[in-house]
Amino acid sequence: MNKLLLLLVLVPVFASCSYFKTEAEPEAIARVGESFLYQNDIVDLIPEGTSKEDSIGIVRNFINRWATQKILINAAERNIEAVKLEEFDKLIQQYRIDLYTKAYIEEIVKREVDTTVTELDIQNYYKENKENFKTNGVLVRLRYIQLPKDHPKFELIKSNFFDSKLKDKNFWETYQLQFKSSALNDSVWVDMNQVYRKLPFINPDNRDTYILPGKTIQQPDSLNVYLVKVTNVIDKNQISPYEYVKVTLKELIISQRKLELIHKFEKEITDDAIKNKYYEIYQ
């Protein structure tokens, strides 16, 4: 055999040896029946900087938990009746379908939905649906301050507080830090439960005595005085004011757009499948 022929014979042999060389099998660290846990399964288990002792504990707990789960699932498969196992398999399959489709649709919605909601959009939605927004409890607009009885400017503060408008912003900015607590913005509607928390002398039993439109209150306790001016009140089961539900209205508008987009997308994707003969119903 000449040298050229010998070379042609040997090259395929060496190439074949290299091609059929198998990779080393992964190293198993535990076994339950026919199931194995491998070294690769715990590669990312230990956080960086963990001590050797803690690392051993983490790995041991992981292995024990893996083994317990395998033993339990094997026992369940042997002992649960076949009808039940079939029912569970259907549930698992349905869960997989729901999980995948939900994730896919959410991605489509995130990319496509218009989240810009104008003031006019919100106002129109409120006008069309306001009967659906009844109050669950009493809503109140009020302002209050809690200040020490012996405050040197008590009378001046009281006089300014009960004025029809809080005119002098500089005045209130100067003194507000000296109050025990306060809320001076009486254009905001608040739930009655918030009033109970801020004004402890008011409770459900005496509420009707204090919470009246236009009511002014000067209520002392052992060390302090509460000054309160109630601007307006809306009773339970009345139409909620626009300002109170405005944020909720915006969220509802976006949610409605999302639902409309999902229905449109589902119809379009189904229609396309029919058109392309990917989806067919056999008669």
Side-chain angles (χ1 to χ4, degrees):
M1 183 183 295
N2 61 39
K3 291 183 178 180
L4 178 59
L5 183 58
L6 180 62
L7 183 62
L8 291 174
V9 171
L10 291 176
V11 168
V13 171
F14 290 134
S16 298
C17 290
S18 174
Y19 180 79
F20 287 108
K21 184 179 179 180
T22 57
E23 294 183 2
E25 290 187 5
E27 181 183 354
I29 58 174
R31 178 186 68 81
V32 171
E34 300 302 317
S35 300
F36 291 87
L37 183 68
Y38 295 100
Q39 190 74 33
N40 290 342
D41 295 325
I42 62 169
V43 168
D44 299 323
L45 187 62
I46 309 300
E48 188 176 348
T50 305
S51 68
K52 181 179 179 180
E53 184 179 347
D54 288 342
S55 299
I56 292 172
I58 291 171
V59 171
R60 183 173 294 141
N61 288 337
F62 180 85
I63 294 172
N64 287 337
R65 187 166 60 252
W66 172 85
T68 301
Q69 289 175 344
K70 288 294 181 184
I71 293 167
L72 284 172
I73 190 67
N74 291 342
E77 289 173 344
R78 289 194 307 271
N79 292 285
I80 295 176
E81 58 187 35
V83 174
K84 273 290 184 185
L85 288 176
E86 185 178 348
E87 182 182 331
F88 291 153
D89 286 340
K90 288 179 181 178
L91 289 172
I92 292 168
Q93 178 62 20
Q94 187 59 52
Y95 177 73
R96 179 178 179 273
I97 292 169
D98 293 342
L99 189 64
Y100 281 30
T101 54
K102 183 175 181 290
Y104 177 52
I105 288 174
E106 283 180 352
E107 196 60 36
I108 296 295
V109 168
K110 189 190 302 181
R111 190 169 66 239
E112 300 294 335
V113 73
D114 179 11
T115 56
T116 302
V117 182
T118 66
E119 184 73 21
L120 184 60
D121 291 333
I122 301 175
Q123 290 174 357
N124 289 338
Y125 189 87
Y126 177 72
K127 289 175 184 176
E128 293 168 7
N129 300 278
K130 61 183 179 180
E131 289 294 331
N132 298 327
F133 299 102
K134 297 292 184 67
T135 56
N136 294 321
V138 176
L139 298 181
V140 187
R141 282 169 50 193
L142 57 74
R143 62 180 183 258
Y144 85 93
I145 57 177
Q146 178 190 11
L147 70 163
K149 286 180 178 179
D150 57 357
H151 194 288
K153 298 291 184 180
F154 178 84
E155 291 300 329
L156 177 62
I157 292 170
K158 174 183 172 182
S159 174
N160 278 272
F161 178 81
F162 286 130
D163 191 353
S164 59
K165 294 181 181 179
L166 303 178
K167 298 175 182 177
D168 191 344
K169 290 183 179 180
N170 290 332
F171 176 87
W172 294 110
E173 287 175 359
T174 299
Y175 286 103
Q176 194 166 12
L177 294 176
Q178 301 175 21
F179 302 153
K180 293 291 184 69
S181 64
S182 66
L184 297 176
N185 185 0
D186 58 3
S187 65
V188 177
W189 290 96
V190 296
D191 184 87
M192 196 64 214
N193 290 322
Q194 295 184 51
V195 177
Y196 295 145
R197 288 194 293 271
K198 296 294 184 180
L199 305 176
F201 64 91
I202 300 177
N203 58 60
D205 294 330
N206 64 20
R207 182 191 69 198
D208 293 341
T209 302
Y210 291 107
I211 303 302
L212 299 169
K215 177 83 172 179
T216 59
I217 304 165
Q218 180 175 328
Q219 181 71 27
D221 61 19
S222 57
L223 298 175
N224 304 295
V225 177
Y226 289 92
L227 302 178
V228 185
K229 175 69 180 289
V230 180
T231 306
N232 208 344
V233 183
I234 294 179
D235 290 327
K236 184 178 180 180
N237 292 325
Q238 301 301 308
I239 294 174
S240 297
Y242 173 74
E243 297 83 0
Y244 187 72
V245 294
K246 181 177 177 180
V247 174
T248 302
L249 294 174
K250 181 178 179 180
E251 293 172 353
L252 287 172
I253 291 170
I254 294 175
S255 294
Q256 188 177 56
R257 289 177 183 175
K258 288 179 179 179
L259 286 175
E260 290 171 356
L261 179 61
I262 290 170
H263 292 152
K264 180 183 176 184
F265 174 70
E266 289 177 343
K267 184 178 186 306
E268 287 179 350
I269 200 171
T270 305
D271 289 345
D272 285 345
I274 294 171
K275 181 180 178 181
N276 297 325
K277 300 188 182 303
Y278 183 70
Y279 164 39
E280 295 179 315
I281 299 177
Y282 299 117
Q283 300 298 329

